[in-house]
Amino acid sequence: MIICICKRVSDREIRRLVDEGATTLADIRRETELGTQCGKCACEARRIVRDLNGDQGPLAGLANLAYELTS
């Protein structure tokens, strides 16, 4: 399924990048430019990355978001 229409990034590509070591949305963005045009895909992409990496508790998401905003 296409997650980012603007940059044509699929959930399969996100999975592949996570399998190769991506742990944050910033990692995915760096490789694919996902979320750099209209940004509507960012929430869904972030959810996929978290699900694939396993959520590490209620504060992990907040810490990841803070990191992404400063990257």
Side-chain angles (χ1 to χ4, degrees):
M1 169 174 61
I2 298 294
I3 302 301
C4 178
I5 295 169
C6 300
K7 300 295 182 175
R8 292 197 47 89
V9 179
S10 69
D11 60 332
R12 288 181 184 178
E13 187 167 2
I14 293 170
R15 278 181 224 283
R16 180 183 62 76
L17 291 168
V18 169
D19 287 345
E20 292 174 1
T23 58
T24 67
L25 181 60
D27 295 337
I28 303 297
R29 183 179 293 134
R30 198 172 12 264
E31 295 295 321
T32 65
E33 297 185 353
L34 174 144
T36 60
Q37 196 156 352
C38 78
K40 292 182 179 179
C41 59
C43 288
E44 181 63 15
R46 186 178 293 110
R47 185 194 63 77
I48 291 170
V49 172
R50 278 191 200 142
D51 288 351
L52 292 172
N53 283 314
D55 193 355
Q56 300 151 357
L59 296 180
L62 191 57
N64 288 336
L65 179 58
Y67 174 78
E68 290 168 15
L69 290 174
T70 59
S71 296

PDB file of all heavy atoms in Angstrom, residues 16-36:
ATOM      1  N   ARG A  16      11.176  -2.629   4.626  1.00  0.00           N
ATOM      2  CA  ARG A  16      12.532  -2.963   4.198  1.00  0.00           C
ATOM      3  C   ARG A  16      13.554  -2.085   4.929  1.00  0.00           C
ATOM      4  O   ARG A  16      14.573  -2.586   5.428  1.00  0.00           O
ATOM      5  CB  ARG A  16      12.675  -2.770   2.681  1.00  0.00           C
ATOM      6  CG  ARG A  16      14.073  -3.094   2.158  1.00  0.00           C
ATOM      7  CD  ARG A  16      14.186  -2.829   0.659  1.00  0.00           C
ATOM      8  NE  ARG A  16      13.961  -1.445   0.296  1.00  0.00           N
ATOM      9  CZ  ARG A  16      14.838  -0.450   0.463  1.00  0.00           C
ATOM     10  NH1 ARG A  16      16.020  -0.696   1.004  1.00  0.00           N
ATOM     11  NH2 ARG A  16      14.546   0.779   0.083  1.00  0.00           N
ATOM     12  N   LEU A  17      13.265  -0.797   5.026  1.00  0.00           N
ATOM     13  CA  LEU A  17      14.182   0.111   5.703  1.00  0.00           C
ATOM     14  C   LEU A  17      14.293  -0.203   7.191  1.00  0.00           C
ATOM     15  O   LEU A  17      15.389  -0.130   7.766  1.00  0.00           O
ATOM     16  CB  LEU A  17      13.756   1.557   5.482  1.00  0.00           C
ATOM     17  CG  LEU A  17      13.936   2.056   4.041  1.00  0.00           C
ATOM     18  CD1 LEU A  17      13.229   3.384   3.838  1.00  0.00           C
ATOM     19  CD2 LEU A  17      15.404   2.153   3.691  1.00  0.00           C
ATOM     20  N   VAL A  18      13.179  -0.567   7.814  1.00  0.00           N
ATOM     21  CA  VAL A  18      13.220  -0.964   9.232  1.00  0.00           C
ATOM     22  C   VAL A  18      14.036  -2.245   9.381  1.00  0.00           C
ATOM     23  O   VAL A  18      14.851  -2.367  10.295  1.00  0.00           O
ATOM     24  CB  VAL A  18      11.795  -1.116   9.809  1.00  0.00           C
ATOM     25  CG1 VAL A  18      11.821  -1.789  11.175  1.00  0.00           C
ATOM     26  CG2 VAL A  18      11.120   0.247   9.903  1.00  0.00           C
ATOM     27  N   ASP A  19      13.852  -3.186   8.473  1.00  0.00           N
ATOM     28  CA  ASP A  19      14.649  -4.419   8.511  1.00  0.00           C
ATOM     29  C   ASP A  19      16.139  -4.125   8.369  1.00  0.00           C
ATOM     30  O   ASP A  19      16.975  -4.852   8.896  1.00  0.00           O
ATOM     31  CB  ASP A  19      14.217  -5.383   7.399  1.00  0.00           C
ATOM     32  CG  ASP A  19      12.879  -6.030   7.673  1.00  0.00           C
ATOM     33  OD1 ASP A  19      12.399  -5.971   8.825  1.00  0.00           O
ATOM     34  OD2 ASP A  19      12.287  -6.581   6.718  1.00  0.00           O
ATOM     35  N   GLU A  20      16.457  -3.037   7.653  1.00  0.00           N
ATOM     36  CA  GLU A  20      17.858  -2.648   7.459  1.00  0.00           C
ATOM     37  C   GLU A  20      18.385  -1.763   8.580  1.00  0.00           C
ATOM     38  O   GLU A  20      19.520  -1.317   8.526  1.00  0.00           O
ATOM     39  CB  GLU A  20      18.011  -1.945   6.107  1.00  0.00           C
ATOM     40  CG  GLU A  20      17.795  -2.873   4.934  1.00  0.00           C
ATOM     41  CD  GLU A  20      17.814  -2.152   3.596  1.00  0.00           C
ATOM     42  OE1 GLU A  20      18.010  -0.911   3.566  1.00  0.00           O
ATOM     43  OE2 GLU A  20      17.609  -2.833   2.580  1.00  0.00           O
ATOM     44  N   GLY A  21      17.513  -1.466   9.587  1.00  0.00           N
ATOM     45  CA  GLY A  21      18.006  -0.747  10.754  1.00  0.00           C
ATOM     46  C   GLY A  21      17.351   0.586  11.065  1.00  0.00           C
ATOM     47  O   GLY A  21      17.690   1.213  12.059  1.00  0.00           O
ATOM     48  N   ALA A  22      16.440   1.061  10.217  1.00  0.00           N
ATOM     49  CA  ALA A  22      15.759   2.328  10.511  1.00  0.00           C
ATOM     50  C   ALA A  22      14.914   2.169  11.774  1.00  0.00           C
ATOM     51  O   ALA A  22      14.214   1.168  11.935  1.00  0.00           O
ATOM     52  CB  ALA A  22      14.867   2.737   9.342  1.00  0.00           C
ATOM     53  N   THR A  23      14.990   3.151  12.672  1.00  0.00           N
ATOM     54  CA  THR A  23      14.232   3.057  13.919  1.00  0.00           C
ATOM     55  C   THR A  23      13.294   4.236  14.125  1.00  0.00           C
ATOM     56  O   THR A  23      12.467   4.189  15.030  1.00  0.00           O
ATOM     57  CB  THR A  23      15.183   2.978  15.135  1.00  0.00           C
ATOM     58  OG1 THR A  23      16.013   4.135  15.142  1.00  0.00           O
ATOM     59  CG2 THR A  23      16.017   1.716  15.088  1.00  0.00           C
ATOM     60  N   THR A  24      13.418   5.282  13.324  1.00  0.00           N
ATOM     61  CA  THR A  24      12.575   6.467  13.493  1.00  0.00           C
ATOM     62  C   THR A  24      12.053   6.943  12.144  1.00  0.00           C
ATOM     63  O   THR A  24      12.570   6.557  11.086  1.00  0.00           O
ATOM     64  CB  THR A  24      13.356   7.636  14.125  1.00  0.00           C
ATOM     65  OG1 THR A  24      14.359   8.072  13.197  1.00  0.00           O
ATOM     66  CG2 THR A  24      13.983   7.243  15.454  1.00  0.00           C
ATOM     67  N   LEU A  25      11.068   7.826  12.216  1.00  0.00           N
ATOM     68  CA  LEU A  25      10.560   8.450  11.003  1.00  0.00           C
ATOM     69  C   LEU A  25      11.666   9.256  10.329  1.00  0.00           C
ATOM     70  O   LEU A  25      11.749   9.303   9.102  1.00  0.00           O
ATOM     71  CB  LEU A  25       9.354   9.331  11.323  1.00  0.00           C
ATOM     72  CG  LEU A  25       8.702  10.024  10.133  1.00  0.00           C
ATOM     73  CD1 LEU A  25       8.196   9.013   9.122  1.00  0.00           C
ATOM     74  CD2 LEU A  25       7.573  10.922  10.599  1.00  0.00           C
ATOM     75  N   ALA A  26      12.536   9.864  11.105  1.00  0.00           N
ATOM     76  CA  ALA A  26      13.647  10.634  10.532  1.00  0.00           C
ATOM     77  C   ALA A  26      14.546   9.748   9.671  1.00  0.00           C
ATOM     78  O   ALA A  26      15.016  10.179   8.609  1.00  0.00           O
ATOM     79  CB  ALA A  26      14.453  11.296  11.638  1.00  0.00           C
ATOM     80  N   ASP A  27      14.770   8.507  10.102  1.00  0.00           N
ATOM     81  CA  ASP A  27      15.567   7.561   9.309  1.00  0.00           C
ATOM     82  C   ASP A  27      14.891   7.279   7.971  1.00  0.00           C
ATOM     83  O   ASP A  27      15.547   7.256   6.929  1.00  0.00           O
ATOM     84  CB  ASP A  27      15.761   6.241  10.058  1.00  0.00           C
ATOM     85  CG  ASP A  27      16.571   6.377  11.330  1.00  0.00           C
ATOM     86  OD1 ASP A  27      17.342   7.351  11.450  1.00  0.00           O
ATOM     87  OD2 ASP A  27      16.410   5.509  12.206  1.00  0.00           O
ATOM     88  N   ILE A  28      13.584   7.050   8.011  1.00  0.00           N
ATOM     89  CA  ILE A  28      12.821   6.769   6.795  1.00  0.00           C
ATOM     90  C   ILE A  28      12.826   8.003   5.887  1.00  0.00           C
ATOM     91  O   ILE A  28      13.023   7.898   4.676  1.00  0.00           O
ATOM     92  CB  ILE A  28      11.365   6.370   7.138  1.00  0.00           C
ATOM     93  CG1 ILE A  28      11.332   5.163   8.088  1.00  0.00           C
ATOM     94  CG2 ILE A  28      10.556   6.115   5.874  1.00  0.00           C
ATOM     95  CD1 ILE A  28      11.910   3.893   7.548  1.00  0.00           C
ATOM     96  N   ARG A  29      12.614   9.167   6.473  1.00  0.00           N
ATOM     97  CA  ARG A  29      12.593  10.426   5.716  1.00  0.00           C
ATOM     98  C   ARG A  29      13.930  10.658   5.010  1.00  0.00           C
ATOM     99  O   ARG A  29      13.968  11.084   3.861  1.00  0.00           O
ATOM    100  CB  ARG A  29      12.276  11.584   6.647  1.00  0.00           C
ATOM    101  CG  ARG A  29      12.151  12.914   5.944  1.00  0.00           C
ATOM    102  CD  ARG A  29      11.805  14.027   6.892  1.00  0.00           C
ATOM    103  NE  ARG A  29      10.467  13.821   7.418  1.00  0.00           N
ATOM    104  CZ  ARG A  29      10.145  13.946   8.711  1.00  0.00           C
ATOM    105  NH1 ARG A  29      11.047  14.297   9.594  1.00  0.00           N
ATOM    106  NH2 ARG A  29       8.916  13.734   9.105  1.00  0.00           N
ATOM    107  N   ARG A  30      15.017  10.385   5.693  1.00  0.00           N
ATOM    108  CA  ARG A  30      16.354  10.586   5.123  1.00  0.00           C
ATOM    109  C   ARG A  30      16.553   9.736   3.867  1.00  0.00           C
ATOM    110  O   ARG A  30      17.163  10.178   2.898  1.00  0.00           O
ATOM    111  CB  ARG A  30      17.404  10.244   6.182  1.00  0.00           C
ATOM    112  CG  ARG A  30      18.758  10.764   5.935  1.00  0.00           C
ATOM    113  CD  ARG A  30      19.747  10.584   7.094  1.00  0.00           C
ATOM    114  NE  ARG A  30      19.389   9.709   8.192  1.00  0.00           N
ATOM    115  CZ  ARG A  30      18.845  10.100   9.350  1.00  0.00           C
ATOM    116  NH1 ARG A  30      18.572  11.369   9.557  1.00  0.00           N
ATOM    117  NH2 ARG A  30      18.558   9.238  10.297  1.00  0.00           N
ATOM    118  N   GLU A  31      16.023   8.531   3.870  1.00  0.00           N
ATOM    119  CA  GLU A  31      16.207   7.615   2.745  1.00  0.00           C
ATOM    120  C   GLU A  31      15.201   7.821   1.607  1.00  0.00           C
ATOM    121  O   GLU A  31      15.524   7.549   0.457  1.00  0.00           O
ATOM    122  CB  GLU A  31      16.104   6.158   3.233  1.00  0.00           C
ATOM    123  CG  GLU A  31      17.204   5.750   4.176  1.00  0.00           C
ATOM    124  CD  GLU A  31      18.571   5.761   3.511  1.00  0.00           C
ATOM    125  OE1 GLU A  31      18.683   5.369   2.333  1.00  0.00           O
ATOM    126  OE2 GLU A  31      19.536   6.179   4.170  1.00  0.00           O
ATOM    127  N   THR A  32      13.982   8.273   1.937  1.00  0.00           N
ATOM    128  CA  THR A  32      12.906   8.293   0.940  1.00  0.00           C
ATOM    129  C   THR A  32      12.310   9.670   0.668  1.00  0.00           C
ATOM    130  O   THR A  32      11.567   9.815  -0.291  1.00  0.00           O
ATOM    131  CB  THR A  32      11.742   7.399   1.398  1.00  0.00           C
ATOM    132  OG1 THR A  32      11.170   7.959   2.584  1.00  0.00           O
ATOM    133  CG2 THR A  32      12.177   5.975   1.624  1.00  0.00           C
ATOM    134  N   GLU A  33      12.582  10.634   1.524  1.00  0.00           N
ATOM    135  CA  GLU A  33      11.960  11.963   1.486  1.00  0.00           C
ATOM    136  C   GLU A  33      10.474  11.916   1.830  1.00  0.00           C
ATOM    137  O   GLU A  33       9.739  12.872   1.594  1.00  0.00           O
ATOM    138  CB  GLU A  33      12.188  12.647   0.136  1.00  0.00           C
ATOM    139  CG  GLU A  33      13.646  12.915  -0.150  1.00  0.00           C
ATOM    140  CD  GLU A  33      13.859  13.694  -1.421  1.00  0.00           C
ATOM    141  OE1 GLU A  33      12.904  13.929  -2.184  1.00  0.00           O
ATOM    142  OE2 GLU A  33      15.011  14.080  -1.657  1.00  0.00           O
ATOM    143  N   LEU A  34      10.015  10.825   2.413  1.00  0.00           N
ATOM    144  CA  LEU A  34       8.632  10.685   2.867  1.00  0.00           C
ATOM    145  C   LEU A  34       8.285  11.822   3.818  1.00  0.00           C
ATOM    146  O   LEU A  34       9.082  12.166   4.684  1.00  0.00           O
ATOM    147  CB  LEU A  34       8.475   9.340   3.576  1.00  0.00           C
ATOM    148  CG  LEU A  34       7.137   9.056   4.255  1.00  0.00           C
ATOM    149  CD1 LEU A  34       6.797   7.589   4.095  1.00  0.00           C
ATOM    150  CD2 LEU A  34       7.172   9.402   5.723  1.00  0.00           C
ATOM    151  N   GLY A  35       7.136  12.428   3.631  1.00  0.00           N
ATOM    152  CA  GLY A  35       6.670  13.469   4.537  1.00  0.00           C
ATOM    153  C   GLY A  35       7.287  14.828   4.327  1.00  0.00           C
ATOM    154  O   GLY A  35       7.075  15.728   5.123  1.00  0.00           O
ATOM    155  N   THR A  36       8.045  15.007   3.248  1.00  0.00           N
ATOM    156  CA  THR A  36       8.712  16.290   3.035  1.00  0.00           C
ATOM    157  C   THR A  36       7.949  17.217   2.105  1.00  0.00           C
ATOM    158  O   THR A  36       8.354  18.360   1.922  1.00  0.00           O
ATOM    159  CB  THR A  36      10.129  16.089   2.465  1.00  0.00           C
ATOM    160  OG1 THR A  36      10.039  15.398   1.228  1.00  0.00           O
ATOM    161  CG2 THR A  36      11.005  15.317   3.443  1.00  0.00           C
TER     162      THR A  36
END
